[in-house]
Amino acid sequence: MSEIIQLHDKKFIKYIPSQEIDKAVSEVAEQLNRDYCSDPPLILVTLNGAIVFAADLLKQLQFSSVLSCIKLSSYKGTHATDTMKTLIGLNEDVSGKRVLIIEDIVDTGKTYQTLVDLLNEKGAKEIRIATLTLKPDAYNLDLPVHYVGIRIPNKFVVGRGLDYDGLGRNLNDIYQLVN
Ligand code: 5GP
């Protein structure tokens, strides 16, 4: 795959090679295996973006967990919008359970906060998050981000599940928007 790709009207340049991403995923898996082996969580995958990270991660987990999915949406194109919609809701009972959220990216943290509020409302015992990428300069919550694969600058990226208007999720490397 070339260094520069085009998705719709925008160009993206290769930014994080797949080997580096694989290593980061394995490191997160190691931490999860250490922290959850004796008391596994319910794993909550955020659709659509986190499916690739979740699939890569789950194969490396050495404990059995129930898997559930949820779909929230706040992005349009390359910018977040203010309205957070629940497109597919939570269908597992999380009451009294440890929950591990799997995210592709934590940007401002708005999605994470929405999930935490929802899970608290449903009586989850403990809520943690594992994210493939985190934008520390954009993140503005006090909530801890427990497991982070790769910290990235505040620029729009695609690949490994992350899309630009529906395209780019299948890219094995992560690409950054060329301005
Ligand atoms: P937050 O709510 O943390 O601000 O944003 C989280 C959501 O915004 C992610 O689940 C993802 O859908 C989207 N998002 C934030 N930054 C990026 C980015 O750089 N690339 C893509 N493709 N999506 C992003």
Side-chain angles (χ1 to χ4, degrees):
M1 188 66 79
S2 73
E3 296 290 313
I4 300 247
I5 56 155
Q6 175 117 16
L7 299 173
H8 299 299
D9 57 331
K10 302 218 182 291
K11 286 189 167 43
F12 295 83
I13 187 158
K14 196 190 275 192
Y15 172 53
I16 308 170
S18 61
Q19 299 87 327
E20 200 179 314
I21 305 166
D22 290 340
K23 190 164 163 277
V25 174
S26 296
E27 282 167 7
V28 171
E30 261 177 48
Q31 294 169 44
L32 297 177
N33 283 329
R34 190 193 58 213
D35 292 355
Y36 285 108
C37 62
S38 59
D39 187 7
L42 181 145
I43 292 181
L44 184 62
V45 180
T46 59
L47 300 173
N48 294 329
I51 54 173
V52 179
F53 175 45
D56 290 343
L57 193 63
L58 284 166
K59 286 179 282 185
Q60 300 182 54
L61 297 184
Q62 290 156 5
F63 50 84
S64 299
S65 273
V66 170
L67 186 74
S68 189
C69 295
I70 189 164
K71 186 169 183 176
L72 305 177
S73 175
S74 72
Y75 249 61
K76 208 168 170 10
T78 58
H79 293 284
T81 64
D82 278 340
T83 35
M84 181 82 59
K85 286 194 286 187
T86 304
L87 304 175
I88 298 175
L90 190 65
N91 63 358
E92 291 290 333
D93 178 14
V94 297
S95 165
K97 294 182 184 160
R98 307 182 90 180
V99 178
L100 174 67
I101 301 165
I102 307 287
E103 265 288 16
D104 48 352
I105 193 159
V106 174
D107 182 16
T108 62
K110 205 168 155 229
T111 311
Y112 178 27
Q113 181 72 70
T114 304
L115 288 167
V116 166
D117 291 347
L118 178 76
L119 292 165
N120 274 329
E121 196 184 298
K122 305 270 180 198
K125 179 173 80 174
E126 178 199 83
I127 305 159
R128 291 191 195 169
I129 187 166
T131 182
L132 178 61
T133 55
L134 168 70
K135 292 180 178 171
D137 295 340
Y139 187 69
N140 57 22
L141 300 183
D142 287 334
L143 290 171
V145 182
H146 307 85
Y147 307 97
V148 179
I150 303 172
R151 287 171 173 78
I152 62 172
N154 197 5
K155 280 192 92 176
F156 190 80
V157 291
V158 293
R160 287 294 177 120
L162 290 153
D163 73 310
Y164 168 50
D165 270 353
L167 298 183
R169 293 194 199 278
N170 59 308
L171 296 164
N172 208 19
D173 308 293
I174 289 180
Y175 288 72
Q176 196 177 56
L177 179 66
V178 177
N179 289 317

